[in-house]
Amino acid sequence: MSVSVLGSGAFGTSLAISLTGNGSVTLWSRDQDQAQHMQTARENTQRLPGVALPTDITVTSNIDQATEADVLLMAVPMQKLRDALLEHASALAGKTLVACCKGIELSSGLGPISVIQQTVPDARPALLTGPSFADDIASGLPTALTLACADNTLGRTLQEDLTTANLRLYRTSDVIGAELGGALKNVIAIGCGAAIGAGLGDSARAALMTRGFAEMQRFALMRGARPDTLMGLSGLGDLVLTCSSELSRNYRFGLSLGRNIQFDTHTTVEGVATARAMTEIATAEGLDMPISTTVADLSSGAYSVTEAIQTLLNRPLKEE
């Protein structure tokens, strides 16, 4: 099985590095100059500096060359996925497309699998998600991920072919649960970062994680997910990681809100758009999502951290 990774950000590059343990990999960058530099320098100096690219990685900006592979890993941000798919729809037609992004599309309220199905109807979609930082994967450190695919036969094949020496994949057919676990935890991570940044302490973070996880489950069940999926790697596992480490962009963004300092505007923070999309859907469905709604307001600047805290603390008391 041949593999290409479409998207040369930190995560896409790290996946390509890990997958070379199974054979040659093509890494596609839309930027021709960046692709040439990476191919020559054998390093992604912009997104993953200090990590050497194995000789088994071929970096290219030629989409036709990249899409010759049997399996294409779509390592692009969630809010840019649709445009990338539409731009290269003819080259992607009929291919196995594995989304490697986490979020809910703001314009449609859909997850990555549904976006693939809408834009490339004859593609065979799957999703790779779970607790994973690019630096850890690129360094060969171990983690376990969820491979979600509604087609059980394809899912088993992908599980076997994409498992590497440091990436252990667990399979599920619940693509909705896997999509939402990976997306919604980013929202809670922003809230936890804001709590720590504001000096509220670890106890407050634990409370936000716990009550936030309850919201994640509530929302996912409403959308048709299986309850056990959120208890796995794509839900609870990813939540624990992103709410407790500054390697998480969403958590770092929350820290900047709590500390009232500027955040790097060039850094993708998927949880911001997801919080907005999640809040709009929850409101339309009459679903109570106080933490997620507060994070959306905080991220947009509608609330200060102090106002956000008071909003949550002043809610009516209730049973757990």
Side-chain angles (χ1 to χ4, degrees):
M1 180 200 70
S2 56
V3 176
S4 286
V5 180
L6 306 187
S8 59
F11 193 64
T13 302
S14 70
L15 286 175
I17 291 171
S18 180
L19 286 164
T20 56
N22 297 348
S24 298
V25 177
T26 300
L27 177 62
W28 178 81
S29 171
R30 67 179 301 111
D31 187 317
Q32 183 177 3
D33 291 338
Q34 183 189 20
Q36 290 177 345
H37 176 74
M38 291 172 64
Q39 179 68 10
T40 303
R42 308 310 302 168
E43 181 183 348
N44 187 342
T45 54
Q46 291 185 10
R47 300 298 184 183
L48 204 63
V51 180
L53 297 182
T55 56
D56 283 338
I57 292 180
T58 299
V59 187
T60 183
S61 61
N62 187 323
I63 190 64
D64 292 326
Q65 178 184 353
T67 54
E68 289 176 356
D70 301 317
V71 176
L72 309 176
L73 275 63
M74 304 297 300
V76 298
M78 181 65 222
Q79 303 307 321
K80 296 181 179 180
L81 178 62
R82 183 181 294 272
D83 288 343
L85 293 167
L86 289 172
E87 182 180 356
H88 305 296
S90 59
L92 300 176
K95 294 289 185 177
T96 296
L97 304 181
V98 183
C100 302
C101 50
K102 302 171 182 178
I104 298 175
E105 189 179 45
L106 185 56
S107 61
S108 67
L110 299 176
I113 294 285
S114 297
V115 172
I116 291 174
Q117 290 171 330
Q118 276 194 353
T119 53
V120 192
D122 60 347
R124 300 191 297 169
L127 175 71
L128 189 63
T129 186
S132 50
F133 288 146
D135 287 347
D136 289 346
I137 294 174
S139 299
L141 299 176
T143 190
L145 301 176
T146 296
L147 189 285
C149 185
D151 182 333
N152 284 319
T153 300
L154 177 61
R156 281 190 289 270
T157 299
L158 290 173
Q159 181 184 28
E160 293 175 2
D161 291 341
L162 298 180
T163 290
T164 71
N166 66 316
L167 296 180
R168 178 178 174 84
L169 304 189
Y170 286 83
R171 188 180 73 254
T172 181
S173 59
D174 181 12
V175 295
I176 295 175
E179 281 182 330
L180 292 177
L184 305 186
K185 57 86 186 177
N186 286 333
V187 178
I188 309 307
I190 293 174
C192 288
I196 295 298
L200 301 183
D202 290 329
S203 298
R205 171 166 53 185
L208 282 171
M209 286 176 65
T210 306
R211 297 308 306 161
F213 185 58
E215 289 190 14
M216 289 171 58
Q217 291 178 305
R218 196 179 307 142
F219 188 92
L221 290 175
M222 180 268 295
R223 299 275 280 194
R226 295 201 301 258
D228 58 317
T229 304
L230 273 291
M231 295 299 297
L233 293 163
S234 62
L236 182 59
D238 216 353
L239 178 71
V240 171
L241 181 68
T242 53
C243 291
S244 57
S245 173
E246 292 193 33
L247 289 176
S248 164
R249 293 167 296 180
N250 293 278
Y251 180 74
R252 288 202 312 275
F253 175 71
L255 283 174
S256 72
L257 293 176
R259 294 168 178 167
N260 197 27
I261 59 176
Q262 185 67 36
F263 188 76
D264 181 7
T265 56
H266 295 97
T267 299
T268 301
V269 183
E270 294 281 22
V272 173
T274 299
R276 287 178 57 193
M278 185 180 182
T279 298
E280 290 175 6
I281 295 168
T283 300
E285 296 290 338
L287 203 62
D288 188 30
M289 307 283 285
I291 294 175
S292 304
T293 300
T294 301
V295 168
D297 289 335
L298 180 62
S299 299
S300 69
Y303 277 179
S304 67
V305 173
T306 300
E307 289 170 330
I309 294 167
Q310 288 304 314
T311 296
L312 291 174
L313 290 179
N314 291 337
R315 281 175 48 81
L317 299 178
K318 57 185 290 187
E319 290 186 1
E320 188 171 23

